[in-house]
Amino acid sequence: MSNENVMKGAMGTQLLLLSVVVLVISFGFAMMSIMSQGHASFNTNSNIPWGQPIATYLYFALASSGLGMIAALPLVFGFKQFYPIVKRAIFLAFIILISGMAVLAMELGHVFRMLWVIPFNMQIQSAMFWMGVFYVADLLFLLWKMQKMDAGDWDSKTSKQIAIGSFLAVLLASGNLALIFGMMSMRPFWFDGLLPIYFYLTAVASGLAALVFFTYLSHGFSRNKMSQPLQDLMNGALPKLFAAVLGGTLLFIAVRAITGVYTNNPEIYLVWRDYLFASPVYQASLWLGILLPFVLMLSKSLRNQPGTQMLVAVLVFGGLFAERFYFVVGGQVVPLFKGTWEWDLIQYSPSATEWALTFMGSALLFTLYLLGEKVLNLSAMPPAQK
Amino acid sequence: MAKWGMVIDLDKCTGCQACTTACAMENNTLPGESWQDVLYYHEGSYPSAQMKWLPRPCMQCENPSCVHVCPTRATYKDMDAGGIVFVDWNKCIGCKYCMIACPYGVRFYADEKPLLEPDLRDIFPGQKGQLWSPPYQNPEEDWTRGIGVQPKGVVSKCTFCHHKVSKAPPGTPDLDEDNPALKEYVPACVRTCAPKARYFGDLDNPDSNVNRLIGDKHGVRLKDSSGNKPQVYYLGAGAGVPAFQPKPRS
C-alpha cells in the first residue's frame, strides 16, 4: 500500500495551524457575543426559534450518520471494495458528530444542565430525549469501532457485532432526528412520515461528499498517491453510489416540492413558492449543488475523474448545507398565531454570531481531522484487502 | 381538584388590550413577551371584509404537545394545580422544542433581540439570576412553575396566574371578579376585562358558570383539529382563525 498521506507532513501542519486559528477566532467571537448579549446575539426569536445553528447541527449530525452508513457497506454487508475508506469514514463520522454537538451546545440556553436533567427525568415521550440516547450510543459505537480497527481487529466476532450495533445506532439516530421534525403536525411543511428516508438519502450524500473531499485532501488531491484498492474504489463503486444517492435526493426533493406546491394549504405551498423557490440561494443550491453534481456523476467518463469528484464533493457540501438551512427555517416562516402582528412570511437571516458558530463547527472538524491524519493511520485496511 | 378553564366571549370583547397590559404588569414580562395578547386579523375583501380580533392566552391544553416534546420534563401539566401547564425554569435547557410544538404560538424565549429600544434589560439589568430586574416586581416567585421574572436561557408562558388562583377556596366553581370575596384570586386578564368578556372557573364542576356558558352558547376551541384540547373556550362570532395570507406582492 502506498501510504502517501501528505497530511502527515508540513502541509498538514500548516493546515492544522490554520484550522486552529479559525477555530479560536470563531469560538472566541461567538463566546464573547453570547456572554455579553446572550442569545440576543442571534437573529432567532420567539417566532423563529430554530435558525442556522440548528441547521448546522443537523448538517453535521446527518453527514456523520451518512458516513456511518457508508462504513456499514463493508463492515456489515460485505461490500469489500469499500474497505479502503472505512477507517477514514468511521473517524470522520466521529469527529463530525463531535463538531455538530459543539455547535448545538453553543445554541442551547443551558447546555450543562442538560447533562443531568435529561437522564434524571427520563421523558421517553420526547423525540429529543431519544436523539440524545441514540447519538450518544452512535458516538460510543464509533469510538469502539475506531479503537478495534486501530488495533488491527477487523474480523473478530466482537468487531462485527460492534459494526452491526454501530449501524443500528446510526439508523435510529438519524431516523429519529428526522422525526423530531416529521412528527410536528402543527408545522405542516415538516410533517411527513417518510422524512427518515429523505434524511437517510441526504445523509449518505453529504457523507460521501465529506469522504471524497477528505480522502483527496489526505492524498494531496492526487489519485496516484492512493493505494491501488482505493484507486479502484474511486474509479468504480464509489462514484456510482454517489450518483445513485444524488438521484434519490433529487427524486425526494421533487416529490416533496410537487406535493407541497400542489396543496391548497398555505402553510406548505407558500413556503415552497414564496420562500424556497423565491430564494436565489435556494435555487442555486438546488441546481448547482444537487442537480449539476448528479448530471456530472451520471457521465461515466466524467464521474471517475478526480477533478470532477472533488468538484462534486464541494458542490454537494454547499448544496446540502443550504438544503438543511431552508428545511429548518422553512418550517417556521409562516407565522403561527400572530395575527396581523406578522403580516407576511417571517424574515430570517443568520447573525454574525450564528455564522461564527457554523465556522467554529467547520474549523473544529478540520482540526480534529488533521490531528487524526497525523496520529492515526486512517488509510488502514484489512491485510487481505491490500 | 378543579380543572381551571377560561371562556372568552368574542361578542363582548372590544380588543382594548387591557388584558394584555394587565398580564404584562402582573407577570413582569418584557415587550414582545406577550403571554396574553389580542391578535388582529382581517378576512375577505370589500364589500364583505371583516376585521377580527382574538384574545389569546396559553390554552393550557388537556393534551399538550409542548409537554410531550420537552426532553427534560421542564414543561409539565399539573393536574393538582387545575391542569395548568407550567415550565420549571430549573429544568429548562432552552432547546425551544416546545415553541416549535405549540400550535398556538404562546411560548416565549425572551433572551432575544429587544422588540423595542431602549432595551429594558439594559435599563434594569438582571440581578439574582433574573433576565432583567424591574424596580416594581410581583413578589410572587416560583421558578418551578415559571412564575416571576425568568432567568436567561429558558422558555416562559402564561400560568393562568397560578399564584392567584391557587389561593382560591377549594371547591369554588367560578372565580368572578365581581364577587368581593374572590376578586383577589382572579387571573389578571380576567379581572381587568372591562366589558366582562372573560370568565374563569372549574371545568370539572357541573354547576360552574363556565360550563353553562360553553354548553348554552356553543363554546368552541381554537384549532380543535390539532387534538390538543385547550382548556380555553371561545363564544360568539369570529372564533375561527383565517388561513394565513401573505402580503400582496406589488
Side-chain angles (χ1 to χ4, degrees), chain B residues 8-231:
Chain B
I8 301 173
D9 190 339
L10 295 172
D11 286 343
K12 285 183 168 184
C13 174
T14 62
C16 69
Q17 293 278 23
C19 48
T20 306
T21 310
C23 173
M25 297 303 291
E26 179 73 23
N27 295 295
N28 302 114
T29 55
L30 284 160
E33 188 192 2
S34 303
W35 291 4
Q36 151 62 44
D37 203 350
V38 180
L39 307 176
Y40 293 85
Y41 291 93
H42 52 85
E43 191 170 25
S45 55
Y46 177 84
S48 59
Q50 301 171 39
M51 175 96 178
K52 291 182 165 189
W53 53 91
L54 191 78
R56 183 235 52 199
C58 170
M59 302 290 147
Q60 317 292 355
C61 303
E62 290 176 17
N63 190 19
S65 46
C66 56
V67 170
H68 301 158
V69 302
C70 176
T72 69
R73 292 188 197 268
T75 281
Y76 63 103
K77 186 170 178 68
D78 190 345
M79 298 311 293
D80 294 329
I84 298 173
V85 175
F86 294 110
V87 182
D88 184 340
W89 287 336
N90 295 320
K91 287 185 182 175
C92 179
I93 57 170
C95 70
K96 302 173 278 281
Y97 198 11
C98 57
M99 298 170 72
I100 294 288
C102 171
Y104 303 99
V106 294
R107 291 175 157 263
F108 300 88
Y109 193 72
D111 192 4
E112 63 183 21
K113 284 197 165 50
L115 180 70
L116 303 170
E117 295 284 359
D119 188 349
L120 287 174
R121 291 168 298 189
D122 293 337
I123 297 174
F124 306 114
Q127 296 166 1
K128 296 178 184 171
Q130 292 180 324
L131 181 63
W132 69 305
S133 296
Y136 303 106
Q137 292 189 25
N138 187 335
E140 302 280 355
E141 186 174 61
D142 181 358
W143 280 17
T144 65
R145 295 183 189 277
I147 295 168
V149 179
Q150 76 270 41
K152 279 185 180 177
V154 299
V155 171
S156 68
K157 65 178 282 297
C158 157
T159 64
F160 258 8
C161 282
H162 172 76
H163 56 285
K164 292 160 78 80
V165 303
S166 59
K167 292 171 184 159
T172 308
D174 292 283
L175 297 179
D176 185 346
E177 69 273 19
D178 289 341
N179 182 342
L182 296 175
K183 66 180 183 181
E184 290 300 328
Y185 314 128
V186 180
C189 59
V190 179
R191 187 174 173 183
T192 203
C193 181
K196 201 173 172 60
R198 289 180 183 244
Y199 305 86
F200 194 85
D202 183 358
L203 293 173
D204 273 353
N205 187 328
D207 297 325
S208 67
N209 190 37
V210 286
N211 272 328
R212 187 183 61 76
L213 287 167
I214 293 165
D216 289 355
K217 293 192 159 187
H218 312 291
V220 296
R221 295 154 146 172
L222 288 180
K223 285 192 176 181
D224 218 6
S225 59
S226 71
N228 277 33
K229 298 184 179 173
Q231 286 177 211

Side-chain angles (χ1 to χ4, degrees), chain A residues 83-105:
Chain A
Y83 264 124
I85 47 86
V86 75
K87 193 172 175 186
R88 186 166 279 110
I90 292 282
F91 179 72
L92 281 171
F94 181 74
I95 61 170
I96 291 181
L97 191 51
I98 294 280
S99 305
M101 286 176 167
V103 175
L104 181 65

Side-chain angles (χ1 to χ4, degrees), chain A residues 51-291:
Chain A
Q52 181 158 304
I54 294 293
T56 305
Y57 163 70
L58 190 63
Y59 179 69
F60 281 131
L62 287 177
S64 165
S65 296
L67 285 157
M69 290 179 209
I70 296 162
L73 288 174
L75 298 175
V76 177
F77 298 106
F79 291 96
K80 293 182 176 175
Q81 64 269 46
F82 282 88
Y83 264 124
I85 47 86
V86 75
K87 193 172 175 186
R88 186 166 279 110
I90 292 282
F91 179 72
L92 281 171
F94 181 74
I95 61 170
I96 291 181
L97 191 51
I98 294 280
S99 305
M101 286 176 167
V103 175
L104 181 65
M106 299 284 280
E107 200 273 346
L108 292 175
H110 289 277
V111 61
F112 295 111
R113 180 180 293 170
M114 176 184 74
L115 300 176
W116 64 269
V117 286
I118 290 183
F120 281 107
N121 288 283
M122 293 296 289
Q123 174 50 303
I124 58 171
Q125 282 187 47
S126 170
M128 203 174 272
F129 168 86
W130 290 108
M131 181 183 83
V133 170
F134 293 142
Y135 268 115
V136 167
D138 184 18
L139 207 57
L140 292 176
F141 271 117
L142 288 171
L143 194 61
W144 197 1
K145 186 68 201 166
M146 191 69 207
Q147 183 262 327
K148 283 280 177 197
M149 284 191 291
D150 211 40
D153 178 3
W154 294 85
D155 290 324
S156 72
K157 194 176 175 189
T158 312
S159 186
K160 284 186 175 167
Q161 285 169 343
I162 295 167
I164 293 169
S166 180
F167 179 61
L168 291 176
V170 160
L171 287 184
L172 289 170
S174 50
N176 176 76
L177 187 57
L179 294 180
I180 284 182
F181 300 93
M183 292 195 295
M184 297 294 102
S185 59
M186 65 297 290
R187 304 279 182 175
F189 179 71
W190 290 336
F191 186 51
D192 184 350
L194 293 180
L195 213 53
I197 311 295
Y198 169 65
F199 271 34
Y200 290 151
L201 272 172
T202 51
V204 176
S206 51
L208 279 170
L211 195 55
V212 167
F213 177 80
F214 285 110
T215 301
Y216 274 105
L217 181 63
S218 64
H219 293 87
F221 298 107
S222 165
R223 193 177 282 173
N224 295 333
K225 291 182 178 171
M226 296 178 182
S227 64
Q228 193 54 48
L230 183 55
Q231 288 192 35
D232 294 344
L233 178 64
M234 289 301 198
N235 272 321
L238 193 134
K240 285 180 189 163
L241 177 66
F242 211 163
V245 292
L246 285 175
T249 300
L250 275 172
L251 185 67
F252 232 96
I253 292 173
V255 169
R256 274 177 58 78
I258 290 165
T259 52
V261 172
Y262 187 82
T263 179
N264 281 340
N265 186 340
E267 293 183 51
I268 306 174
Y269 83 79
L270 281 174
V271 177
W272 281 102
R273 193 191 71 184
D274 290 3
Y275 183 61
L276 272 68
F277 287 145
S279 160
V281 178
Y282 182 78
Q283 293 276 0
S285 72
L286 184 60
W287 306 122
L288 301 178
I290 300 175
L291 182 69

